[in-house]
Each structure stands twice: as structure tokens, then as C-alpha cells.
Amino acid sequence: MIEKHIVLEDIDPVIFYGVNNVNIQMIKALFPKLRIVARGNVMKIMGDEEEMCAFEEAVQALEKYCVKYNSLNEEAILDIVKGKSPQHEQTGEAIVFSVSGKPIVPRSANQLKLVRQFEKNDMIFAIGPAGSGKTYTAIALAVRALKNKEIKRIILSRPAVEAGEKLGFLPGDMKDKIDP
């Protein structure tokens, strides 16, 4: 009987363990020969060495999935433990995944072109009318880079000059000035 500790580093234990520990209960059911105790971001495992190696591989794969997609559900756990690729991985054009696990994808051909050019170039200038998704796509790419640890922080800035109308001279309070 061997005892081992696994530390979950890059993920939120609440997402990994699931609401009311549903995910960890399922993992325990899939590995009945092991005794698994989860406290905070540390999992303590006791049991057979072969079973423990399989469990460690499964937890590493689950951790990678959880980091990438910000979610973990029963289907994904079953697929990963059985060695299949989970459903999320079949959506190829996703830039990043939201907190709820929803994929953020380019919505137009030009947004897709912007994503592909981002992968090839250091600097890109995106020009287009308002509402075409320039900022949306850029922020999604920045979040992806932050999650992949390619960058340490995101700095948002705005121009010092006003774009069009001056909000200071409009009548009313701030809400009335922003509404137009």
C-alpha cells in the first residue's frame, strides 16, 4: 500500500472537484481500488502502485483539460479516464474558453484571419467599422496568451483624445451623456 500526494497547481479546486464534490466522487467511483482524500488543492491517494500510476495520468489529463476549458463535467471525466478525446477538443477554431466553458470563436472570416495573423506576426493593426469585433478578438487572444503563460499581465488603455463627441459638454448626468 503506497501513499502519494498530488497538488493541483494551476486550477481552481472548486471547478476540479465540482459542485458538492460531484466530480471527485465520480473519479473515486472510477478508481475503486484507491482511497482518495481531497483537501484544498491537495489530493492524498493510497492504494496499489499500478492503479495509482493510471490515476496520476488521468488526473494530469483532467488538470490540463480543466486549465484549458475552465470546466470539468461528467462526460469529460469519463472520456479522459477511458482514453478518448473529450467533446470540447473537437471544436477546432476556439480562441479561448470562457469561465462557463463556452468556446470563444471567431464570428467572421475576417476575425479568423486576424487570429491566424496573430499567430504569425508580432504586431497587427486591425481596421474596421464599429462592431466588427476588433476589440472582442484582441481581448480573446490576450486572455489566451495569459492562460498559456505567454504573458504575465494584460494592460488595457484608451486614447487620450476623444473619438468624435465631447462628453463633458452634454447636458445631464453621466448616464444621460453615455446613452447617445
Side-chain angles (χ1 to χ4, degrees):
M1 185 84 93
I2 299 173
E3 182 178 315
K4 201 165 205 176
H5 295 270
I6 297 176
V7 179
L8 305 172
E9 293 178 7
D10 296 332
I11 57 173
D12 184 10
V14 175
I15 295 172
F16 189 82
Y17 298 149
V19 177
N20 294 327
N21 292 329
V22 173
N23 295 345
I24 197 70
Q25 296 299 332
M26 179 177 233
I27 293 169
K28 286 179 182 181
L30 291 169
F31 293 94
K33 295 179 182 176
L34 295 177
R35 184 163 185 270
I36 303 165
V37 179
R39 299 268 185 250
N41 65 339
V42 178
M43 295 173 66
K44 184 169 130 180
I45 304 100
M46 292 174 279
D48 182 46
E49 190 172 353
E50 285 183 31
E51 189 82 7
M52 198 172 296
C53 288
F55 177 79
E56 264 189 289
E57 290 175 12
V59 167
Q60 286 175 352
L62 288 168
E63 193 174 2
K64 284 181 186 175
Y65 179 89
C66 200
V67 165
K68 186 172 183 180
Y69 299 111
N70 279 334
S71 68
L72 190 61
N73 55 25
E74 294 178 11
E75 294 85 22
I77 293 170
L78 285 172
D79 287 345
I80 290 171
V81 170
K82 291 180 181 178
K84 299 178 189 174
S85 65
Q87 191 71 25
H88 265 297
E89 292 183 13
Q90 294 164 359
T91 58
E93 295 296 334
I95 300 171
V96 72
F97 289 84
S98 70
V99 175
S100 63
K102 180 183 170 198
I104 306 295
V105 294
R107 292 187 170 185
S108 68
N110 284 333
Q111 286 181 7
L112 182 60
K113 186 176 177 183
L114 181 64
V115 170
R116 290 189 177 147
Q117 289 300 318
F118 175 80
E119 294 166 0
K120 296 177 188 172
N121 301 301
D122 290 337
M123 186 180 292
I124 300 170
F125 292 96
I127 310 168
S132 61
K134 302 178 297 291
T135 305
Y136 176 82
T137 308
I139 293 297
L141 289 167
V143 169
R144 181 177 73 182
L146 185 68
K147 285 181 72 174
N148 292 343
K149 297 187 178 175
E150 297 167 14
I151 58 173
K152 291 182 181 177
R153 64 181 154 191
I154 299 171
I155 300 172
L156 297 176
S157 63
R158 63 181 187 92
V161 295
E162 295 175 8
E165 57 189 46
K166 295 182 180 181
L167 297 177
F169 298 104
L170 293 175
D173 62 356
M174 187 57 78
K175 184 183 179 312
D176 294 333
K177 292 179 183 186
I178 299 294
D179 282 342

